[in-house]
Amino acid sequence: MKFRTPVETSASAVKVCHSDAPLFVGSCFSTHIAERLRRDGFDVVSNPGGALYNPASIASFLHRALRLDYFREEELVEGPRGYHLTALSTVFSGAEGEAVISAANSALESAARRIAEGAVFFVTLGTAFVFEWKASGCVVGNCHKLPATCFTRRRMSVDECVGVLAPVVRDLSARGVHTVFTVSPVRHTADTLHGNTLSKSTLHLACDALLGIFPGACSYFPAYEAIIDDLRDYRFTASDMKHPTEQAADYVYELFTNCFFSEDTLKKALSARKASARAAHRPILDNG
């Protein structure tokens, strides 16, 4: 008898090795994988622009990194923490506008360096819902706790998602960068369960369309399916009933290594993991 529908992942033609410098951009779920790669000895950059959830904001950040289109102080808005750069996460806010812009441009440069190195990029899409700043009509990466009346909320269509992401895939591919898409399994319950389903479905259809447009330039990793369709149990969900537990994230990472690691890379990763565990070990002191 079968009591699970396990996700089947085949070895990817695209490999990640310790000489690479992978970049993770998108939902906070990507941080789970990046943290484990870092523990296993990889030089990883994770969400330099902070967590970004929707395709438009992710595409905008990568476009700017590709062209080193620096942020400017006139893009700041005043709000609860002083100055806010709404294109990025709430990390990019503070009392000094110049410092906020400087940090944002450093994030762009960090992503640009990874592009120049031709690494594999992992893009985790979290939601198709966006908030548009009414004054400009621009999609924001985060509302930064500004009044809801400042924004219009709507759901992007599949064609819109593909339209903003396709140029990014094309430009990255032209620079030798392979893009791996994944959909975050974290449920956005604030959108209602039905709204969350519509949102995630939109993202899945967009990913599928991109794989058809750019065969060989991008691929898909089933993190969403591993949590939602395979594990399917609240014991793998944190107390907020939305985010995966550490055990669930470990399972997804195991699938990730099976997909993207060669045997040699896996051996090196396990060795680095043991060294990391030894370094973190705190011996019991004998006071006797």
Side-chain angles (χ1 to χ4, degrees), residues 32-161:
H32 285 289
I33 303 300
E35 286 175 347
R36 285 159 174 77
L37 281 169
R38 198 172 290 115
R39 173 203 64 191
D40 287 355
F42 288 84
D43 177 18
V44 181
V45 169
S46 174
N47 282 341
L52 297 171
Y53 301 95
N54 70 78
S57 295
I58 292 169
S60 176
F61 177 76
L62 290 175
H63 265 307
R64 296 188 81 142
L66 278 158
R67 292 161 177 75
L68 265 186
D69 179 13
Y70 287 113
F71 291 101
R72 301 171 297 279
E73 288 195 39
E74 52 265 34
E75 296 179 67
L76 295 171
V77 298
E78 294 188 47
R81 296 184 62 187
Y83 294 95
H84 299 255
L85 188 59
T86 57
L88 302 180
S89 78
T90 54
V91 173
F92 297 93
S93 61
E96 299 294 334
E98 186 177 343
V100 173
I101 294 298
S102 177
N105 287 334
S106 292
L108 278 181
E109 290 173 349
S110 177
R113 284 193 293 272
R114 294 294 155 126
I115 293 170
E117 292 163 0
V120 180
F121 278 18
F122 294 87
V123 176
T124 304
L125 305 174
T127 181
F129 282 100
V130 295
F131 287 85
E132 292 175 333
W133 184 256
K134 287 182 179 178
S136 65
C138 294
V139 172
V140 298
N142 194 286
C143 293
H144 285 242
K145 299 190 181 299
L146 292 161
T149 53
C150 295
F151 305 97
T152 300
R153 178 180 178 273
R154 66 178 182 85
R155 191 178 74 243
M156 296 178 70
S157 69
V158 174
D159 286 344
E160 282 182 290
C161 294

Side-chain angles (χ1 to χ4, degrees), residues 201-218:
S201 298
T202 298
L203 299 178
H204 281 291
L205 289 168
C207 288
D208 190 62
L210 289 165
L211 266 61
I213 297 169
F214 301 102
C218 61

Side-chain angles (χ1 to χ4, degrees), residues 183-287:
V183 174
S184 171
V186 178
R187 296 186 301 167
H188 289 233
T189 53
D191 297 330
T192 73
L193 293 179
H194 179 59
N196 177 71
T197 299
L198 292 173
S199 170
K200 300 292 188 182
S201 298
T202 298
L203 299 178
H204 281 291
L205 289 168
C207 288
D208 190 62
L210 289 165
L211 266 61
I213 297 169
F214 301 102
C218 61
S219 54
Y220 178 78
F221 175 71
Y224 178 92
E225 292 80 357
I227 300 293
I228 303 300
D229 296 317
D230 186 348
L231 299 186
R232 295 179 63 92
D233 194 308
Y234 280 118
R235 64 183 164 144
F236 297 112
T237 305
S239 59
D240 65 1
M241 308 307 289
K242 295 184 290 186
H243 290 79
T245 62
E246 288 297 304
Q247 185 182 28
D250 283 339
Y251 175 63
V252 175
Y253 183 64
E254 183 179 334
L255 294 176
F256 181 94
T257 62
N258 292 340
C259 187
F260 295 106
F261 286 6
S262 67
E263 288 187 17
D264 182 60
T265 298
L266 183 58
K267 289 178 182 178
K268 290 179 179 178
L270 292 175
S271 178
R273 190 181 308 176
K274 291 177 182 178
S276 179
R278 287 195 298 270
H281 177 66
R282 298 178 63 182
I284 299 175
L285 298 178
D286 184 2
N287 296 320

